[in-house]
Amino acid sequence: MIKVANICCIGAGYVGGPTMAVIADRCPKIDVNVVDIDEERIKKWNDKDLKNLPVYEPGLAEIIERCRNVNLHFSNSIKEKIHDADMVFISVNTPTKKKGLGAGKASDLRWVEESARQVAKFSSGHTIVVEKSTLPVRTAEVIQSILRSSEEDNELNGISFNVLSNPEFLAEGTAIKDLENPDRVLIGGDNLEAMNALHAIYSRWVSKEKILFTNIWSSELAKLTANAFLAQRISSINSIAAMCEATGADVREVSRAIGTDSRIGSKFLDSGPGFGGSCFKKDILNLVYLAEYFGLNEVANFWESVVNLNNWHQNRISKLVVKKLFGTVTGKKIVVLGFAFKANTNDTRESAAIQICKDLMDEGAEIWIHDPKVNKLQIEKDLNIGKIYNRDSEENKPINKNGRWQFSKNFDIFDNAHAVLMLTEWDEYKNIDWEGISKRMVNPSWVFDARSIVDPIKVKKANLNLWRVGDGTSK
Ligand code: UDX
Ligand code: UDX
């Protein structure tokens, strides 16, 4: 039995940080070292003030407080920590390729490759290399071949490797809960001894039935498939929302009705403004690229349609806002509530709000954005129009064609608004005083609720017009 006493994780990001924190917490006898090329990020992980940690997740700061500098260490000492490790996790980012072969779909593996080269160069003795990053199927082969060439060079020094795949399934906002109480842990590999060594780590806190062994390719593909299935459910329910609006049905009732079928299940059936987040689109496009690569064009088209539907749905919402506001939003003030891709995170990656705001500004609207956690600089980056200014405006507000945007952290933004558009399901949006707000808005005015969070009775009582995603009952 291979015994693991020292772990190194390359990549102190959203996945590497929390995952290693939980391993350190649950395995006090293992020394866990998280390394990163980014000095600023490591400084933040080591900051005395736990509010400055680079990742915010409920429960994370408490673990960091318990374990940091006990058996959990963050540093830039990549060479040294790889050298000392019995097991190395690769948890670096794998964004979609921007150029070259597979641009726009395939994952950019340059950092994974670089990490494998570092492991090949610096490790000593026997090392188990664990793919934590989400990767295209058969990436383990690339890692294996880099490591194998090092084994051949170092045969006399007794250097050897095993490669395992151990994808993460944690969602933002619940990462610690997902890690502490996972639905399953997947270990893919072809060497039982190495697989058992990783099993021994997880079995410190995860029951044995939940730890699944597969071959390495199944494990890699299962990760992409899980995200593709989840995203597909959202596109499915969003497509049905459009049907509800056309037919007089209500998507909330349809979701409830189908969700009680135990074969379908009730989760991930909330229609919204379209899925966002760093993973869904990237992973589906990766799957599409792989299917195309293997000549499976129908398979590729099937999964690509999930992304296409999502784009169409976001576009449908902005078009609908324009239509309801008498066919034009030029110069009209629209309050956007929520910019994060979901509640309880400040992450805006692939947020539906980005495209919807851009589309509305293209139509000439004046957007006032509110979000409790996202900051103005991030929005400026996402809308990518921070540097274009309206010469006529005394305040130099950023503009997009004719439209422009403003940001506010407080609720003092409803004066003279023509519409309120709700894009993130933050708790503070659930109990808005619609009566009070209605008096400050232009008459007639609209509430567009893309998250089903308002109380329709209260909104209508406040004399506001209401559109809710998938609500055909008010036709
Ligand atoms: C993860 C997974 O690894 C990715 O495959 C998955 O699809 C999404 O989640 P994440 O942890 O969110 O990525 O990425 P990020 O927060 O960007 O962290 C990656 C870290 O790796 C960064 O801190 C970066 O500096 C570091 N890195 C990158 C290295 O230390 N070395 C490198 O060579 C490249
Ligand atoms: C996802 C997966 O859930 C996780 O397992 C994987 O490891 C990473 O990707 P995350 O991106 O954090 O996690 O968010 P998730 O909670 O899955 O939501 C993704 C998007 O779908 C959000 O924009 C969310 O608002 C949307 N969504 C989710 C819906 O529109 N309706 C739903 O019913 C559920």
Side-chain angles (χ1 to χ4, degrees), residues 11 13-15 36-38 41 91-94 111 133-134 282:
Y14 177 76
V15 172
D36 202 292
I37 44 172
D38 185 337
R41 197 163 245 199
S91 191
V92 295
N93 40 333
T94 50
W111 293 290
S133 303
T134 305
K282 169 170 80 73

Side-chain angles (χ1 to χ4, degrees), residues 98-360:
K98 291 212 171 84
K99 52 184 183 186
L101 197 65
K105 283 186 186 150
S107 283
D108 190 339
L109 294 180
R110 83 179 99 156
W111 293 290
V112 171
E113 199 184 314
E114 176 56 29
S115 301
R117 287 188 197 287
Q118 286 174 329
V119 177
K121 202 160 145 197
F122 303 134
S123 63
S124 58
H126 184 73
T127 309
I128 299 171
V129 179
V130 185
E131 299 176 343
K132 201 46 151 168
S133 303
T134 305
L135 298 166
V137 188
R138 303 204 81 89
T139 303
E141 238 166 30
V142 177
I143 298 178
Q144 264 159 353
S145 71
I146 292 172
L147 298 176
R148 207 166 293 134
S149 61
S150 163
E151 272 176 345
E152 283 158 15
D153 291 348
N154 286 290
E155 222 167 336
L156 293 177
N157 303 331
I159 290 181
S160 57
F161 304 97
N162 292 123
V163 179
L164 301 177
S165 159
N166 173 224
E168 50 80 17
F169 295 100
L170 46 93
E172 288 186 32
T174 54
I176 300 300
K177 208 173 106 238
D178 297 342
L179 284 161
E180 288 183 336
N181 188 17
D183 286 342
R184 77 312 207 178
V185 169
L186 205 52
I187 299 177
D190 54 13
N191 180 294
L192 200 56
E193 241 196 313
M195 292 162 86
N196 279 332
L198 187 54
H199 186 287
I201 293 174
Y202 283 110
S203 60
R204 299 285 307 231
W205 76 94
V206 180
S207 61
K208 293 197 168 59
E209 326 76 76
K210 286 188 175 175
I211 307 176
L212 312 180
F213 280 3
T214 67
N215 78 32
I216 202 155
W217 322 125
S218 304
S219 171
E220 288 178 337
L221 185 58
K223 167 67 201 197
L224 293 183
T225 308
N227 274 353
F229 266 56
L230 291 170
Q232 168 268 319
R233 263 173 93 91
I234 300 169
S235 278
S236 296
I237 201 66
N238 285 339
S239 77
I240 298 301
M243 286 293 286
C244 289
E245 288 164 36
T247 57
D250 183 333
V251 75
R252 285 147 289 270
E253 294 181 351
V254 175
S255 289
R256 203 169 68 231
I258 63 167
T260 49
D261 184 326
S262 58
R263 291 167 305 175
I264 296 175
S266 60
K267 292 183 182 155
F268 259 71
L269 284 180
D270 294 329
S271 180
F275 61 76
S278 65
C279 292
F280 281 178
K281 189 171 159 196
K282 169 170 80 73
D283 290 350
I284 293 182
L285 291 180
N286 206 332
L287 196 61
V288 169
Y289 178 72
L290 284 171
E292 280 169 356
Y293 176 83
F294 291 113
L296 302 168
N297 293 332
E298 284 70 15
V299 177
N301 293 343
F302 174 73
W303 287 110
E304 195 160 20
S305 74
V306 172
V307 175
N308 293 342
L309 195 289
N310 199 50
N311 295 338
W312 171 80
H313 182 67
Q314 292 174 5
N315 190 252
R316 183 175 88 83
I317 292 179
S318 46
K319 276 200 179 128
L320 194 136
V321 172
V322 177
K323 201 167 144 212
K324 298 274 188 206
L325 296 181
F326 307 113
T328 175
V329 290
T330 305
K332 290 182 181 167
K333 175 171 168 182
I334 297 174
V335 172
V336 169
L337 295 184
F339 202 80
F341 82 96
K342 64 177 188 181
N344 304 319
T345 173
N346 63 354
D347 194 343
T348 63
R349 283 176 292 176
E350 302 293 338
S351 176
I354 300 173
Q355 198 51 48
I356 293 174
C357 287
K358 279 185 175 173
D359 286 348
L360 289 172

Side-chain angles (χ1 to χ4, degrees), residues 282-454:
K282 169 170 80 73
D283 290 350
I284 293 182
L285 291 180
N286 206 332
L287 196 61
V288 169
Y289 178 72
L290 284 171
E292 280 169 356
Y293 176 83
F294 291 113
L296 302 168
N297 293 332
E298 284 70 15
V299 177
N301 293 343
F302 174 73
W303 287 110
E304 195 160 20
S305 74
V306 172
V307 175
N308 293 342
L309 195 289
N310 199 50
N311 295 338
W312 171 80
H313 182 67
Q314 292 174 5
N315 190 252
R316 183 175 88 83
I317 292 179
S318 46
K319 276 200 179 128
L320 194 136
V321 172
V322 177
K323 201 167 144 212
K324 298 274 188 206
L325 296 181
F326 307 113
T328 175
V329 290
T330 305
K332 290 182 181 167
K333 175 171 168 182
I334 297 174
V335 172
V336 169
L337 295 184
F339 202 80
F341 82 96
K342 64 177 188 181
N344 304 319
T345 173
N346 63 354
D347 194 343
T348 63
R349 283 176 292 176
E350 302 293 338
S351 176
I354 300 173
Q355 198 51 48
I356 293 174
C357 287
K358 279 185 175 173
D359 286 348
L360 289 172
M361 280 190 287
D362 273 348
E363 293 282 338
E366 187 176 319
I367 309 281
W368 288 54
I369 300 166
H370 175 278
D371 191 288
K373 278 256 156 65
V374 179
N375 65 43
K376 189 177 171 188
L377 240 124
Q378 185 59 48
I379 297 174
E380 202 161 289
K381 256 197 225 152
D382 291 332
L383 295 178
N384 197 20
I385 50 172
K387 291 205 168 64
I388 309 166
Y389 291 99
N390 181 354
R391 266 179 288 141
D392 304 332
S393 153
E394 60 305 350
E395 281 183 60
N396 266 355
K397 292 168 193 158
I399 60 160
N400 177 18
K401 295 192 182 156
N402 305 314
R404 53 193 187 181
W405 64 274
Q406 295 243 0
F407 175 72
S408 175
K409 273 266 178 226
N410 62 49
F411 266 171
D412 204 15
I413 46 177
F414 296 94
D415 285 349
N416 299 319
H418 287 251
V420 177
L421 173 55
M422 322 199 56
L423 295 181
T424 312
E425 71 284 22
W426 288 105
D427 271 347
E428 46 257 79
Y429 299 158
K430 290 182 181 158
N431 294 310
I432 287 180
D433 166 23
W434 291 111
E435 296 254 8
I437 284 169
S438 168
K439 291 189 190 107
R440 285 149 56 186
M441 293 174 72
V442 167
N443 194 10
S445 46
W446 279 86
V447 173
F448 296 96
D449 180 7
R451 288 287 187 176
S452 300
I453 49 174
V454 304

